Amino acid sequence: MPPSSTLMTPSPLHLHPLKSATISMKQLRSYPPEISGSTRPRTTHALLRPHHRTNPLIWFSAFLCVILIVLLIATGVLTLIVFLVIKPRIPNFDTATASLNTIYLDSPTYLNSDLTFLANFSNPNTKIDVAFQYARIELYFFNRLIAAQALRPFAQRRGEARLQVIHMISSQVYLPPEIAAELVRQVRSNRVSYSVRATFRVRASLGVGHFSYWMYGRCQMELTSPPGGVLVARSCRTKR
């Protein structure tokens, strides 16, 4: 065979890896560099907001809120301890004696009457003083208001009792015909039923602390007919 027949031209397949490698390197150079521990994106500083100091007024307001919450919690705990340990009781309102001096109808439906009773106020607490800041006594006949009286404020020390004369006068009080007829019937039967309703605003004091509440007294009384009517039965209760 001729010598030239021993020479072989390189196959195109041997050039493909170099070409593909060259292309791959070009492609890799066109990609952005990877983020490593020492390299940070350029947008990091743009995303961070500038730091501002908190207004001292906001800190002061937050401090006041915390103090207020602590005081409220302490007050609630102290009140609970007082009620559990001392067990405060409300004063008692009662009557032991009463006299019905006059009852007459000026006309078929206008009432005139005179009732006197002895009210008993007692403070059953051994560690708490009370003060009656407001006191109003009302007299009813068959749920009809016929007289009312306000009492002056007064105070009671622990374990103290107070007696006070209450004079209830009804003058020209209109009564519906059916209620007036019932009053006449009771007077003739020598049994007259009156109802006393009392409303009080009480302030209780324990050392430097105090609290106030409303209290209500109810007394159902049965008296003989006037003149000289006396108390023959009663039922009294006090509640908040």
Side-chain angles (χ1 to χ4, degrees), residues 8-21:
M8 297 180 63
T9 58
S11 175
L13 295 176
H14 294 285
L15 298 177
H16 287 174
L18 295 175
K19 184 178 182 180
S20 60

Side-chain angles (χ1 to χ4, degrees), residues 35-83:
I35 299 174
S36 62
S38 60
T39 306
R40 294 182 180 180
R42 297 179 181 180
T43 58
T44 303
H45 296 287
L47 295 176
L48 293 177
R49 295 182 180 180
H51 177 70
H52 297 285
R53 292 185 60 186
T54 304
N55 193 327
L57 184 60
I58 296 178
W59 285 109
F60 182 71
S61 301
F63 177 75
L64 288 182
C65 291
V66 172
I67 294 298
L68 180 60
I69 293 174
V70 171
L71 288 178
L72 289 176
I73 295 175
T75 302
V77 172
L78 180 61
T79 303
L80 180 61
I81 292 175
V82 169
F83 274 85

Side-chain angles (χ1 to χ4, degrees), residues 44-131:
T44 303
H45 296 287
L47 295 176
L48 293 177
R49 295 182 180 180
H51 177 70
H52 297 285
R53 292 185 60 186
T54 304
N55 193 327
L57 184 60
I58 296 178
W59 285 109
F60 182 71
S61 301
F63 177 75
L64 288 182
C65 291
V66 172
I67 294 298
L68 180 60
I69 293 174
V70 171
L71 288 178
L72 289 176
I73 295 175
T75 302
V77 172
L78 180 61
T79 303
L80 180 61
I81 292 175
V82 169
F83 274 85
L84 292 179
V85 176
I86 301 179
K87 297 180 180 179
R89 300 168 59 187
I90 62 174
N92 294 323
F93 171 73
D94 196 1
T95 179
T97 180
S99 60
L100 185 56
N101 306 313
T102 305
I103 285 184
Y104 69 91
L105 295 173
D106 197 15
S107 67
T109 56
Y110 286 92
L111 170 67
N112 297 273
S113 70
D114 186 338
L115 171 71
T116 302
F117 68 93
L118 188 63
N120 180 19
F121 301 91
S122 59
N123 179 12
N125 296 287
T126 59
K127 298 181 180 179
I128 298 178
D129 300 329
V130 297

